[in-house]
Amino acid sequence: AQSVTQPDIHITVSEGASLELRCNYSYGATPYLFWYVQSPGQGLQLLLKYFSGDTLVQGIKGFEAEFKRSQSSFNLRKPSVHWSDAAEYFCAVGATGNYGGSQGNLIFGKGTKLSVKP
Amino acid sequence: ETGVTQTPRHLVMGMTNKKSLKCEQHLGHNAMYWYKQSAKKPLELMFVYNFKEQTENNSVPSRFSPECPNSSHLFLHLHTLQPEDSALYLCASSQVTGGVGELFFGEGSRLTVL
């Protein structure tokens, strides 16, 4: 069965420092991978996605992520964090074709909460 | 109009009440979803509708009843809920064409069951 692991529950970084949020997935074929961000009291917003092609993908708000098949990882990075980046970040994987009789649904990790120190 | 709109944003109900959550998407997508987000748990997929047909019911208790009258609207009817059903309920939509499409989420309906 597919699964997503985000090993860090909570990370604190200083404003201006670099950031890397870890994500590992379990899926036999080439996965569709996503990173979403959720601010308090809000829904989830897509930061970036990987479907195929270049393994380094660029997203919104200066984020990027790198797909590494050998490590089953899709880590999210940002070179310089801003206070407004404080939020919860979710990694997700989707199946190609049908999964459990449905299409399109994503499996989410438990999320990593990011705090930013001034 | 935002892409996916959920109402109400906040709902408090007793265990014997009947209420409904509403979701509307303005993106022309062909699939809609209900997810449940509880504290310290990953997002749990509840229901999936593709082209108005329910294609997934992820072992959700019958006290949650979805309805999808057309491809733009999705409801979640609630009755005789339990306090552990208190959570943020997120609606999402996507355009699925033979694979996986990215999900567009609403802002959620925060449900509290007393």
Side-chain angles (χ1 to χ4, degrees):
Chain A
Q2 295 162 284
S3 65
V4 176
T5 302
Q6 294 180 247
D8 303 307
I9 296 172
H10 191 184
I11 284 182
T12 300
V13 300
S14 297
E15 191 167 16
S18 63
L19 171 70
E20 181 169 31
L21 301 181
R22 296 183 290 165
C23 172
N24 293 95
Y25 67 89
S26 172
Y27 183 62
T30 300
Y32 290 170
L33 295 162
F34 305 80
W35 274 100
Y36 283 84
V37 61
Q38 184 180 32
S39 298
Q42 303 294 314
L44 279 71
Q45 180 185 21
L46 180 71
L47 283 176
L48 48 78
K49 61 189 178 187
Y50 171 78
F51 283 8
S52 65
D54 193 347
T55 56
L56 184 63
V57 294
Q58 303 296 321
I60 62 171
K61 305 185 181 187
F63 285 93
E64 67 177 26
E66 186 171 12
F67 169 58
K68 292 186 177 179
R69 183 189 304 276
S70 61
Q71 299 176 20
S72 298
S73 69
F74 188 57
N75 294 349
L76 181 71
R77 301 194 293 250
K78 186 169 184 178
S80 178
V81 169
H82 188 262
W83 65 267
S84 60
D85 293 324
E88 192 153 19
Y89 292 80
F90 293 91
C91 182
V93 63
T96 55
N98 285 342
Y99 168 63
S102 67
Q103 281 186 309
N105 54 292
L106 304 185
I107 305 298
F108 286 86
K110 292 187 177 182
T112 298
K113 184 175 181 181
L114 174 65
S115 297
V116 180
K117 291 190 298 186
Chain B
E1 286 281 8
T2 55
V4 180
T5 305
Q6 290 187 243
T7 55
R9 293 291 312 278
H10 299 273
L11 178 62
V12 179
M13 58 187 289
M15 289 191 285
T16 58
N17 292 158
K18 288 186 180 181
K19 296 285 184 183
S20 296
L21 306 181
K22 178 183 176 183
C23 177
E24 183 174 2
Q25 59 101 355
H26 309 277
L27 301 168
H29 289 162
N30 59 10
M32 296 186 77
Y33 312 77
W34 280 116
Y35 278 86
K36 176 183 178 182
Q37 186 176 33
S38 307
K40 302 184 192 240
K41 282 188 174 182
L43 280 93
E44 302 171 68
L45 177 68
M46 300 176 73
F47 301 104
V48 181
Y49 278 82
N50 279 285
F51 297 99
K52 303 185 298 177
E53 299 295 322
Q54 187 180 138
T55 56
E56 182 82 9
N57 176 338
N58 203 20
S59 302
V60 180
S62 59
R63 57 186 183 270
F64 294 91
S65 174
E67 178 190 1
C68 189
N70 55 61
S71 58
S72 298
H73 293 86
L74 184 64
F75 294 89
L76 188 63
H77 303 300
L78 316 169
H79 62 98
T80 58
L81 294 190
Q82 305 298 312
E84 60 265 28
D85 297 321
S86 298
L88 182 67
Y89 289 85
L90 291 164
C91 174
S93 70
S94 72
Q95 183 64 24
V96 181
T97 51
V100 174
E102 66 188 76
L103 296 181
F104 291 78
F105 284 86
E107 294 187 318
S109 294
R110 171 70 62 186
L111 173 66
T112 302
V113 181
L114 301 176

